[in-house]
Amino acid sequence: MAKRFEFRQSTVPVDSRIPPGERLPVNPALKHIEPWISTVGASIAVLDLDLDGLENDFCITDPRSRSLYVAPAIETDRRFSPTTLLVVSQDFNEASFPSGCRVGDFNEDGLADILAIFFGRSPIILMQKSDVNLPLEQRFIKQELVKGDIRDWYTSTATLADFDNDGHIDVILGNYFPDGNRVYDANSTHYPKFHNSLSNADNAGSNRIFLWQNSGSGSEPYVQFKEADTGMPEGDDERWTLAIGAADINRDGASDLYIANDFGPDGMYLNKSTPGNLSFKRLKGRKGFSIPKSKVMGYDSFKGMGVDFGDVNRDGYYDIFVSNIAGEWKLEEGHFLWMNTGDEAAIEKGIAPFLEKSSSLGVAYSGWGWDTKFADFDNDGILEALQATGFFRGEVNKWPELHQWSMNLDPLLSDPKTWPNMIGGDISGNEGNPFYVMSSEGHFEDISEELGVAGPWLSRGFAIADVDGDGDLDYAVGNQWEDHYLLLNETKNSNGYLSLSLLLPLDNNTGFSSNPRRPLAREGTPAIGAEVTVTGPRGEKFIGFVDGGNGHAGARSKSVHFGLGSVSENAQVNVKIRWRNRLGQLDSWEGKLSIGQHTILLGNQDQYATNTNF
C-alpha cells in the first residue's frame, strides 16, 4: 500500500520572533501542571494571499512566539517572507495567546480575511484591505469580533458556516476553560476552576455563535456580527469543547453540527434554524444491550479532540472521524468512526443514524489524538485519513499518575490542587501521526512509518490543499513547540481528479459560469457549505462540500477535491451542485464537467439552464 504514495517533507518557513522554550506563563496555582496547560496554541490553515489562484500560503499560530503569522508553503524570493500579523504585548495582553486561525471572506469582497481565536481573550478579525499591493503587515485592519470590553475567553476551536440560512457566513466558537479563569495570568491571585467531572463535565466557558449582520470593503474594511442564542438544549453549550465540525448530514441544505467535547459526551445537532433565529435539535444514538454506552452517539464519556466528515464507504452519506485518547495502556477509550446509516426517518425522530465502527475499520487505537482529516491523496476515489497525535514530552513517564488521578471522585477534579504534578513529565510525547489507507479487505491500515510521515511530532492540526497545482493534495502539519512541516505529494499514477473552486459572485446578479482554470483575484467569495455530488465514470458516487474550517487546529482548502481513479484525459463526469445564494435561497445545478480544475461562479437559478455541459 505504501508504494502507491510518495511525499517530500520540508519545513514551513517560520516567524523570525520564535524563541526557544516549551512552556507558557500560567496562573501560580497551576505551576505543577504547567506542561499540561501548555499543550495548546499551535494551528495551521491554508489560504491564498498572493492571489495566484493557489491556496499555497499558511496562517499559523505558534505558542513559542505567542503570535499569528502568515507564510508561503515554500519560501521563495518571488513571493513573500513569513510576516507576523499579531504578536503578544503589541496586539494583546501577556495573559493570552492566539490558539487558532480560520480563513473566510467576511466582507464578501473576494479577498481572504482571518479570524484569530485566543486562549485568554475574545477573538480578533483581520480584515484585508482592497489594495493588495500593500506590504502584508499593512494590508490588514484589526477589529474585535465583539463590541465593548475584551472578554476573558478560552477559545479552542472555531468553524464558519451559514448557520441561520440567510446566505451569509456565521461563526461558531468552541470554548474551553470557564470565562474569566485567568489561566495564563502569571500574576493573578484568582484561583481557577477546572472540570467538574471526568466523564460529564458541564462547567466550561460557553460556546458562542455570531451571526453575520453587514460589512464593508475598501481601505477600511469591516464586518459586523451579532451574538445569538445558540438554540441548543440548556447546558449543552457549556461543555469543554476542543473540536467542531459543520456539515449537512441529512442533505436538507442546512449545516448541522458535531461538537467534540473533552471530559464528557459529544453532541450531534440537527440544524432547524431560520434567518436570525438559531435552532439546533440534539440527536442521540440508539442504546443496545451489546453496545457500551460510550459507543453510542451522544452518550460517550471520552475526550473528544478532533472531528472531520467524509463518505468512507461511498454510500452518499457523511461519516465522522473523531479523536479521543486511545493508546495501549493509556486510558484506552478508543477513537470514533461514526458510520452513517442514511436513516433519514430516524433523524426526524431525534435519533442519530450512526453506528460506531472504529474497531472493525482499524482506527480505534493510535495515541493521544487531536485533529482528524479525510482526503484522497492518490486520486483513486477512496479516502485516506490523517490523525494528529501527541501531548507533551519530558524525562519521566507520568502515565501512572494520570491513571491514578483518573479514578478521582468528580467533586475533586475542579480543584487544580488534586491534579498530578506534571513537571518534567512525559505523556504521549513521542507518538506518530497515523496515515490511514483503506486495504483491499475493507479496513484502514496505518502506513505512516512506511511513508516516513509519522513524525514523531506533538501535532495539533492539518491544512490540506493542492499547494503546487499539480492535481493531487498536499498537507501541512501544525506542531506544538516545534516546527511545522509540509508534506508535498509526489505520488505518480494516471488517476484523474475533479477539483472545484465554488464561488458566490460579488454581485449577486451575476449569472452561472464555469471555467477550466483556477480562480482569479476577486472573482468571487468561497461558497462555504455548498455541496457537490459527482457520478464517476463507472457509476461511483462521491460527495463533498466547501469546508469552513472544521476540526481542532487545522483548516483545509476551500476547494472541493475528488479523486476519480483511472479515467481518460478527455473524460466528463456528471456533477450536481447545491448552494445557498445571498438571498438565503437554495439553488442547484446539474450537468457534466470535464475532469481537472474548474472555477465555478454560482449565480441565481433563473439565469441558467440545467443539464449544461462545460
Side-chain angles (χ1 to χ4, degrees), residues 20-251:
E22 292 187 356
R23 297 291 182 267
L24 291 163
V26 300
N27 186 299
L30 307 178
K31 290 294 291 184
H32 64 299
I33 55 173
E34 189 179 53
W36 186 305
I37 302 301
S38 299
T39 55
V40 292
S43 77
I44 189 163
V46 66
L47 73 164
D48 178 11
L49 275 179
D50 56 359
L51 304 178
D52 62 356
L54 294 169
E55 290 172 284
N56 54 5
D57 308 310
F58 295 124
C59 174
I60 295 169
T61 60
D62 198 311
R64 293 176 294 181
S65 56
R66 287 193 283 165
S67 68
L68 180 151
Y69 65 94
V70 291
I74 302 172
E75 191 167 8
T76 67
D77 294 335
R78 294 184 298 106
R79 297 181 65 207
F80 63 93
S81 298
T83 302
T84 300
L85 300 182
L86 292 173
V87 65
V88 68
S89 299
Q90 178 178 315
D91 298 293
F92 47 91
N93 64 46
E94 293 282 351
S96 59
F97 60 93
S99 55
C101 50
R102 295 294 185 266
V103 178
D105 182 6
F106 298 118
N107 60 347
E108 302 168 1
D109 66 347
L111 299 174
D113 310 307
I114 297 170
L115 171 71
I117 59 175
F118 291 80
F119 264 42
R121 82 178 316 277
S122 42
I124 292 174
I125 302 177
L126 299 170
M127 299 296 299
Q128 190 169 178
K129 300 176 184 178
S130 58
D131 185 357
V132 295
N133 294 314
L134 289 171
L136 274 174
E137 59 269 22
Q138 300 175 23
R139 201 190 295 179
F140 292 88
I141 285 183
K142 305 177 184 73
Q143 72 161 73
E144 300 289 340
L145 174 65
V146 295
K147 293 182 177 180
D149 295 336
I150 295 170
R151 319 296 172 84
D152 185 14
W153 293 349
Y154 298 85
T155 305
S156 60
T157 188
T159 197
L160 314 178
D162 180 7
F163 294 115
D164 68 343
N165 303 310
D166 69 344
H168 302 279
I169 297 304
D170 311 308
V171 175
I172 182 170
L173 305 179
N175 286 334
Y176 198 71
F177 292 110
D179 300 348
N181 223 21
R182 310 306 296 169
V183 174
Y184 298 95
D185 187 347
N187 300 310
S188 178
T189 58
H190 172 78
Y191 196 77
K193 287 188 176 181
F194 276 23
H195 316 72
N196 60 359
S197 171
L198 190 74
S199 60
N200 195 27
D202 59 0
N203 64 329
S206 296
N207 293 341
R208 292 175 163 86
I209 299 181
F210 292 83
L211 300 180
W212 188 95
Q213 300 295 295
N214 59 67
S215 65
S217 58
S219 60
E220 297 185 1
Y222 71 91
V223 62
Q224 291 183 348
F225 289 96
K226 178 182 179 181
E227 185 174 358
D229 186 295
T230 63
M232 294 180 184
E234 185 176 355
D236 277 23
D237 54 4
E238 293 182 347
R239 299 287 183 179
W240 295 70
T241 299
L242 284 173
I244 295 178
D248 184 2
I249 64 164
N250 63 338
R251 317 299 295 279

Side-chain angles (χ1 to χ4, degrees), residues 339 356 516:
M339 298 300 292
E356 207 293 295

Side-chain angles (χ1 to χ4, degrees), residues 498-505 511-520 523-527 530 532 546 575-577 579 589 592-594 596-603 608 614:
L498 181 69
S499 182
L500 304 180
S501 298
L502 303 179
L503 305 177
L504 291 173
F512 182 96
S513 66
S514 175
N515 292 285
R517 54 165 173 75
R518 299 197 173 271
L520 301 175
E523 185 173 8
T525 184
V532 183
V546 182
V575 178
K576 183 175 182 179
I577 306 171
W579 69 96
W589 173 85
K592 290 184 178 295
L593 292 174
S594 57
Q597 171 70 41
H598 288 265
T599 293
I600 300 180
L601 202 60
L602 302 171
Y608 59 87
F614 291 99

Side-chain angles (χ1 to χ4, degrees), residues 483-497:
D483 288 339
H484 317 291
Y485 293 95
L486 171 66
L487 283 304
L488 197 65
N489 193 345
E490 296 187 339
T491 299
K492 298 175 179 63
N493 58 47
S494 58
N495 292 334
Y497 74 97

Side-chain angles (χ1 to χ4, degrees), residues 360-474:
S360 61
L361 289 175
V363 298
Y365 305 108
S366 60
W368 193 295
W370 296 89
D371 222 14
T372 59
K373 289 284 186 290
F374 286 115
D376 183 356
F377 289 102
D378 62 349
N379 287 334
D380 68 345
I382 301 174
L383 293 175
E384 285 76 56
L386 303 176
Q387 187 177 38
T389 67
F391 197 39
F392 61 80
R393 289 197 185 101
E395 299 300 321
V396 181
N397 180 5
K398 288 290 182 175
W399 273 110
E401 285 93 335
L402 184 60
H403 277 273
Q404 184 177 20
W405 165 82
S406 70
M407 293 184 284
N408 263 345
L409 297 174
D410 276 358
L412 299 176
L413 293 174
S414 62
D415 186 347
K417 289 197 299 290
T418 70
W419 288 49
N421 190 316
M422 292 294 166
I423 300 299
D426 182 284
I427 293 181
S428 298
N430 291 287
E431 296 174 339
N433 295 335
F435 187 104
Y436 289 112
V437 177
M438 186 67 73
S439 72
S440 58
E441 289 80 21
H443 59 81
F444 284 107
E445 295 283 355
D446 176 17
I447 63 168
S448 58
E449 292 288 347
E450 289 81 359
L451 287 180
V453 300
W457 302 309
L458 299 174
S459 299
R460 296 296 178 264
F462 300 110
I464 301 176
D466 181 4
V467 301
D468 54 2
D470 65 352
D472 53 33
L473 293 174
D474 315 291

Side-chain angles (χ1 to χ4, degrees), residues 545-568:
F545 64 97
V546 182
D547 187 338
N550 292 341
H552 169 63
R556 59 161 53 86
S557 164
K558 297 293 190 293
S559 294
V560 188
H561 184 100
F562 300 95
L564 299 173
S566 180
V567 294
S568 63

